[in-house]
Amino acid sequence: MIRSRIRRLKDQFIKYNLDGYVIPKNDEFFSEYSNKDRLGFISNFKGSAGYAIILKNKNYLFVDGRYTIQAKIESGKNFRIIDYKEIRDIKIFKNLNLGIDPKLFTSDQIKKFFLKNNRVKIINENLVDNIFKAKQKKIIPFYSLDTKVTGENHSQKIQKILSFLRKERLDYIFISAPENVAWLLNIRGYDSPTSPIPNCHLVIGKKREIYLIVNKKKSKNLVKEKKLKKNQIIEFKNFPNFFNKLNGKNILIDRKTCSIYFEQILKKRLKIIKKEDPIYLLKSIKNKIEIDNMVNAHLIDGVALTKFIFWLKNKKKLNITEVDAQNKLEYFRKQNSNYLFPSFDTIAGSGKNGAIVHYRATKNNTKLLKNNELFLCDSGGQYKFGTTDVTRTICFKNQNRKIKDIFTNVLKGHIAVVNTDLNKKKTGRLIDSEARKFLIKNNQDYNHGTGHGVGFFLNVHEGPQAISKQNSVKIQNGMILSNEPGYYKQGKFGIRIENLIYAKKVKNKLIFENLTLVPIEKDLINFKLLTKKERDYIFKYHFEVYSKLSPLLNKKEKKWLASFI
């Protein structure tokens, strides 16, 4: 099947005089999770980041460290799997005509990865679409969120952008990332499988001109609510003609999500200013109402996860598969009417599958959970007023000391992150080193960041903040991040402990506070490796979990949870 698709793709090379074609994971809206997965279609790779370069005689799939094992399993038969950082070192990628769809790449991406040694050829049709017809989803209109949920109305947010334009002496800003439009207008939609994303773009002028670039059928509620007028709604196909009517000297575009297609249109009339869209930073700093709503979402989610872990740990016979487990977790989440859908595809990996950082169990590849193996479950939910993401590593019988020591060193890193003195270590880069130091002492480490930013009822992954080796963004009051150090022994097991945390100012001191309320596997902890401060943290954390969740649990669940204190 995959080989046939690749062959049909290559059959088009002659028409365009191509040596190869580049296929990214993202769609036209640069979404992490999309209903239109061209890369998955052509390669069978199901991860959330990567791209393929298909040449006349060879096929390459580039992924980052999170996905190397997964990519080899899913795509290794037809593709050479390479860490994307190595592309410049591969001699074969020189002096080639590489075709691209201009709607799927930014000019920065092309310069970074392909332009130095190759000739990039823009093709105004997608060669994968010529052989792949994605199912057309029903068009559902966008909807607005109440200020009781968002804490700030859209007019107040727009005023912040107008102030930015004046300060930067800009005539226009082109907001290409749908997540940023969603935040600005307080709207959500149904255009992503795991996020309430409204696929659209927005143009704002310094004189308060506002134009939404969108399928008109999706905007009817916004017109009905008088959030926008009919003449402010522009169909995608009409954008070039609409833009010719604008008067101004310059326009800011987001270097991460403004495609070459739109950049070419915009630069015909205006001077292009490339920067990061200021909305990324604005929306990363949650207001008090957003934080309060996230706290409530995590309380609900904590109940579901705790019930799930109790059910799993107390089964007389562990005769269930990974898919059975993730379906049961979904069942517990659905018991609350505020739950909508998963915030990403659940990672439920038993034994060696837990070592695949972003493993995905399906009916065709699922394995039975075994008593002597670790079970890693990473999942999240989208609630009507918040987004969650949590990982727990679970055991069903006593494990050897080596595994307990590794788990405990991961836990020590996890505790070090949440207890960071943010007045001294102000960036994710500095915090990341704290999370790894206990593993590194034993020549162990993990090949992913320690934490990512998290959206408010939006994408489960958002920037600009992150806890990683490269991130230098200052952590600010109201920012939400994940705290998820881990360790992975290929072919054996995976360990990860993840909570969501947020930066909170207390008496002029910035601290991290947990959002996640789910017990941590005590049977995997070697308490002898913990300091008194770390043991006190574990006690206080589980006391808080019990205090907040126990009123919502049955007697058996409550008694079991009390054993963690």
Side-chain angles (χ1 to χ4, degrees):
M1 181 76 78
I2 295 297
R3 289 182 180 178
S4 171
R5 293 171 181 175
I6 293 171
R7 186 179 67 251
R8 290 164 63 196
L9 178 75
K10 292 181 179 181
D11 287 344
Q12 302 175 75
F13 285 8
I14 296 174
K15 177 181 177 181
Y16 296 100
N17 188 29
L18 297 178
D19 296 309
Y21 192 66
V22 188
I23 305 161
K25 182 69 178 182
N26 59 272
D27 61 9
E28 292 86 342
F29 296 92
F30 291 82
S31 303
E32 180 178 16
Y33 301 105
S34 171
N35 290 314
K36 188 182 288 185
D37 185 2
R38 297 179 176 94
L39 182 60
F41 172 81
I42 208 70
S43 70
N44 198 46
F45 173 63
K46 301 299 190 297
S48 65
Y51 60 85
I53 299 180
I54 295 180
L55 304 180
K56 290 177 179 178
N57 299 314
K58 291 187 178 182
N59 312 314
Y60 298 85
L61 178 60
F62 292 84
V63 296
D64 61 42
R66 297 172 296 168
Y67 292 117
T68 49
I69 299 174
Q70 178 181 342
K72 286 175 183 176
I73 294 170
E74 294 176 341
S75 309
K77 290 182 180 179
N78 299 296
F79 288 79
R80 179 182 168 188
I81 312 301
I82 303 172
D83 189 315
Y84 70 84
K85 296 175 184 176
E86 300 173 18
I87 186 170
R88 290 187 179 275
D89 300 324
I90 300 174
K91 294 180 180 179
I92 193 170
F93 293 112
K94 290 185 178 181
N95 303 316
L96 298 174
N97 285 323
L98 296 177
I100 66 161
D101 180 343
K103 293 181 179 179
L104 305 183
F105 292 90
T106 68
S107 55
D108 280 15
Q109 286 176 321
I110 296 301
K111 289 175 183 177
K112 182 178 179 181
F113 294 116
F114 313 116
L115 198 57
K116 186 175 181 182
N117 300 309
N118 300 286
R119 295 174 293 276
V120 172
K121 191 167 185 177
I122 289 176
I123 301 172
N124 288 310
E125 65 175 319
N126 191 284
L127 302 193
V128 177
D129 287 354
N130 289 344
I131 60 172
F132 167 48
K133 301 300 179 185
K135 291 182 180 179
Q136 294 296 317
K137 288 198 69 179
K138 182 181 178 181
I139 295 174
I140 306 175
F142 302 157
Y143 61 97
S144 293
L145 298 179
D146 194 282
T147 51
K148 291 179 182 178
V149 175
T150 63
E152 192 175 18
N153 66 48
H154 72 284
S155 296
Q156 292 171 302
K157 293 179 177 181
I158 289 170
Q159 192 57 48
K160 292 178 182 179
I161 300 304
L162 295 174
S163 297
F164 171 82
L165 293 178
R166 288 193 293 269
K167 181 181 176 182
E168 299 294 324
R169 296 183 179 179
L170 293 166
D171 293 321
Y172 296 100
I173 180 172
F174 178 59
I175 302 168
S176 47
E179 61 183 279
N180 291 351
V181 181
W183 176 86
L184 186 69
L185 297 183
N186 286 341
I187 62 174
R188 299 296 187 267
Y190 301 88
D191 294 325
S192 168
T194 58
S195 300
I197 292 296
N199 278 349
C200 58
H201 309 302
L202 194 71
V203 173
I204 295 183
K206 65 181 181 181
K207 296 179 181 179
R208 206 181 174 85
E209 308 105 304
I210 300 173
Y211 300 98
L212 186 68
I213 319 304
V214 67
N215 182 316
K216 284 191 176 182
K217 292 180 181 178
K218 294 182 180 181
S219 64
K220 66 178 186 179
N221 289 340
L222 309 185
V223 174
K224 189 176 180 180
E225 296 167 1
K226 297 183 179 180
K227 184 170 277 188
L228 293 170
K229 297 177 181 178
K230 284 186 178 181
N231 64 359
Q232 292 177 289
I233 308 299
I234 311 298
E235 288 273 7
F236 290 106
K237 64 181 180 180
N238 296 332
F239 181 78
N241 290 333
F242 149 77
F243 183 71
N244 287 333
K245 298 175 183 178
L246 295 183
N247 295 312
K249 295 180 180 179
N250 56 39
I251 187 167
L252 184 145
I253 64 172
D254 178 28
R255 60 172 65 251
K256 294 192 296 186
T257 61
C258 182
S259 68
I260 294 171
Y261 169 80
F262 280 111
E263 184 177 343
Q264 287 180 329
I265 293 171
L266 297 172
K267 72 181 183 181
K268 288 179 181 178
R269 280 181 58 87
L270 298 176
K271 179 183 178 182
I272 299 293
I273 308 296
K274 280 190 191 179
K275 287 187 177 182
E276 185 171 280
D277 185 339
I279 292 176
Y280 287 114
L281 181 60
L282 289 171
K283 84 175 190 302
S284 73
I285 301 170
K286 277 60 178 180
N287 60 49
K288 184 182 183 303
I289 290 176
E290 288 175 315
I291 292 293
D292 289 345
N293 281 320
M294 285 289 272
V295 168
N296 290 333
H298 281 80
L299 177 66
I300 295 168
D301 204 53
V303 171
L305 263 294
T306 301
K307 284 178 173 290
F308 167 71
I309 296 172
F310 171 80
W311 169 81
L312 196 59
K313 294 270 290 181
N314 288 277
K315 285 186 70 66
K316 291 180 179 179
K317 287 187 178 181
L318 200 63
N319 57 342
I320 61 170
T321 67
E322 296 162 329
V323 168
D324 292 332
Q326 65 190 40
N327 288 344
K328 190 67 173 182
L329 175 53
E330 181 72 0
Y331 163 81
F332 282 118
R333 281 198 168 108
K334 284 181 176 178
Q335 298 310 296
N336 192 286
S337 61
N338 290 301
Y339 175 71
L340 297 173
F341 47 83
S343 56
F344 57 94
D345 290 328
T346 296
I347 299 163
S350 180
K352 66 179 183 179
N353 290 340
I356 302 171
V357 179
H358 279 207
Y359 171 74
R360 184 183 178 190
T362 65
K363 291 181 180 179
N364 297 324
N365 72 352
T366 189
K367 71 188 291 284
L368 281 168
L369 274 61
K370 296 181 179 178
N371 278 306
N372 63 335
E373 292 183 337
L374 300 184
F375 176 62
L376 187 153
C377 186
D378 185 347
S379 71
Q382 294 285 7
Y383 293 84
K384 293 177 182 177
F385 40 76
T387 302
T388 70
D389 181 5
V390 56
T391 307
R392 288 296 182 263
T393 305
I394 301 165
C395 69
F396 306 103
K397 64 179 292 186
N398 193 41
Q399 296 291 318
N400 63 52
R401 182 169 177 175
K402 183 178 180 181
I403 287 178
K404 285 186 176 182
D405 287 354
I406 294 171
F407 181 91
T408 305
N409 283 325
V410 171
L411 177 60
K412 286 169 75 72
H414 176 90
I415 295 171
V417 169
V418 72
N419 286 333
T420 297
D421 184 345
L422 292 173
N423 298 287
K424 294 181 179 179
K425 298 183 183 296
K426 300 180 180 181
T427 66
R429 180 176 59 83
L430 297 173
I431 301 169
D432 184 85
S433 61
E434 289 295 299
R436 299 175 191 271
K437 64 184 181 183
F438 304 101
L439 288 167
I440 289 174
K441 284 180 182 177
N442 294 283
N443 297 313
Q444 296 162 344
D445 202 356
Y446 48 95
N447 196 13
H448 60 75
T450 299
H452 54 83
V454 180
F456 171 73
F457 188 35
L458 269 174
N459 291 336
V460 75
H461 299 135
E462 75 167 30
Q465 79 279 21
I467 303 174
S468 66
K469 293 177 181 179
Q470 294 82 30
N471 195 285
S472 296
V473 174
K474 184 179 177 182
I475 304 299
Q476 298 185 50
N477 182 38
M479 284 185 170
I480 298 175
L481 300 107
S482 68
N483 171 15
E484 51 181 313
Y487 180 77
Y488 312 91
K489 182 73 173 177
Q490 188 172 348
K492 299 291 183 181
F493 62 86
I495 292 170
R496 186 161 66 251
I497 305 168
E498 177 188 17
N499 278 6
L500 295 194
I501 56 180
Y502 71 99
K504 178 181 180 181
K505 188 164 282 189
V506 179
K507 295 180 180 179
N508 293 320
K509 185 179 180 182
L510 199 62
I511 63 169
F512 277 136
E513 190 152 307
N514 281 302
L515 285 167
T516 302
L517 296 168
V518 179
I520 296 169
E521 181 61 273
K522 64 176 183 177
D523 294 333
L524 283 172
I525 301 174
N526 179 357
F527 284 91
K528 293 179 181 178
L529 292 182
L530 298 180
T531 65
K532 182 181 184 303
K533 186 177 179 181
E534 290 165 339
R535 290 195 297 271
D536 287 346
Y537 170 84
I538 292 294
F539 172 80
K540 289 176 182 177
Y541 177 72
H542 281 131
F543 185 81
E544 182 185 17
V545 170
Y546 179 81
S547 298
K548 292 183 176 179
L549 299 189
S550 59
L552 304 169
L553 303 174
N554 64 38
K555 287 183 179 180
K556 289 183 179 179
E557 293 163 344
K558 192 182 299 186
K559 183 179 178 181
W560 170 79
L561 186 58
S563 70
F564 284 80
I565 301 174

